[in-house]
Amino acid sequence: MTEKPVLIPKPNEIFFKETVINKSRFLAYCKNVDDVSQATDFLAQIKKKHYDATHNCYAYVVGDFVKFSDDGEPGGTAGKPILNAIQQKGFIDTIVVVTRYFGGVKLGAGGLVRAYGGAANDILAVVPTCKEERAVDISVKISYANFSAVTNILSVKALTVNNVFDTDVTVCATVKVEDLQQVLTAIRDAVNGQAVFSVGEEYNLRI
């Protein structure tokens, strides 16, 4: 089964959205983080900015590592709902911090879950994203006579294409792993097997 591409917030930007529920302010922040140290640094930045807040609850996913905190809210009512929002929407390398300024009206456990989860869902819904796909680089050495046929195939399936012209033509391309066998088969058929292929290692590519 092909894995669903994951989403990553647009790098180098901080995204913000505020919600008011029963007089409590919920300030949601979201940012791309490439490692745990970036996540902890961003969390410290928000806590410093909102040192007077009632709670600074958060969750982050960095690769396969996850962490979340209720920061004084009843257990399971804040950090976990934020984490669930991140995971259900398919985000990785992402931190969401929801800062609460208590407005005097208690929300109850269910209300808190909806408030924190809703704040996280709302910010993630408006964050510009890029996708991370499993990709692989290939090169195909062909004759000039077959150049057009190969580039027509790659124009549909390749993420990037670069051509090197010499005695023959070497077409270098990046394709999704899920499309690799289809692309190789199509090229072989188009050139009647008259091609030399090189296939690199799989890697994660942000697009």
Side-chain angles (χ1 to χ4, degrees):
M1 180 181 294
T2 301
E3 292 186 3
K4 181 181 178 181
V6 294
L7 298 176
I8 301 166
K10 187 177 179 182
N12 305 317
E13 294 189 36
I14 298 171
F15 303 96
F16 170 78
K17 186 174 178 61
E18 178 175 347
T19 305
V20 177
I21 301 174
N22 285 347
K23 300 182 180 180
S24 282
R25 297 171 61 209
F26 292 87
L27 314 180
Y29 294 87
C30 179
K31 188 178 185 297
N32 163 243
V33 286
D34 291 324
D35 54 45
V36 172
S37 66
Q38 287 186 11
T40 55
D41 287 348
F42 180 67
L43 177 60
Q45 176 184 340
I46 297 301
K47 285 184 173 182
K48 182 177 180 180
K49 179 177 182 179
H50 296 292
Y51 67 91
D52 57 342
T54 315
H55 307 280
N56 287 291
C57 306
Y58 68 89
Y60 60 83
V61 178
V62 178
D64 294 326
F65 181 80
V66 303
K67 187 174 182 180
F68 57 92
S69 171
D70 297 312
D71 191 35
E73 292 281 29
T77 63
K80 192 63 183 292
I82 296 170
L83 177 64
N84 288 342
I86 295 172
Q87 294 179 323
Q88 288 171 5
K89 288 184 176 295
F91 279 79
I92 66 165
D93 297 347
T94 301
I95 183 170
V96 173
V97 183
V98 180
T99 295
R100 182 189 185 189
Y101 285 91
F102 181 58
V105 179
K106 293 184 178 181
L107 302 181
L112 289 172
V113 169
R114 290 189 293 272
Y116 282 100
N121 273 306
D122 288 348
I123 188 65
L124 291 169
V126 300
V127 168
T129 62
C130 55
K131 292 182 179 181
E132 187 169 274
E133 298 272 8
R134 291 296 288 171
V136 62
D137 295 329
I138 64 172
S139 67
V140 186
K141 189 174 182 181
I142 52 174
S143 67
Y144 279 84
N146 288 322
F147 177 64
S148 178
V150 172
T151 54
N152 284 342
I153 293 168
L154 292 175
S155 68
V156 176
K157 288 294 186 180
L159 302 173
T160 64
V161 178
N162 182 44
N163 305 311
V164 179
F165 299 99
D166 203 337
T167 306
D168 295 307
V169 184
T170 300
V171 180
C172 302
T174 303
V175 300
K176 297 178 184 179
V177 169
E178 64 185 66
D179 294 331
L180 176 62
Q181 293 306 316
Q182 180 183 351
V183 168
L184 296 180
T185 298
I187 292 174
R188 289 192 187 98
D189 291 345
V191 303
N192 296 316
Q194 301 301 306
V196 178
F197 293 91
S198 176
V199 179
E201 297 292 328
E202 296 182 15
Y203 61 96
N204 292 333
L205 177 67
R206 294 182 181 182
I207 58 175

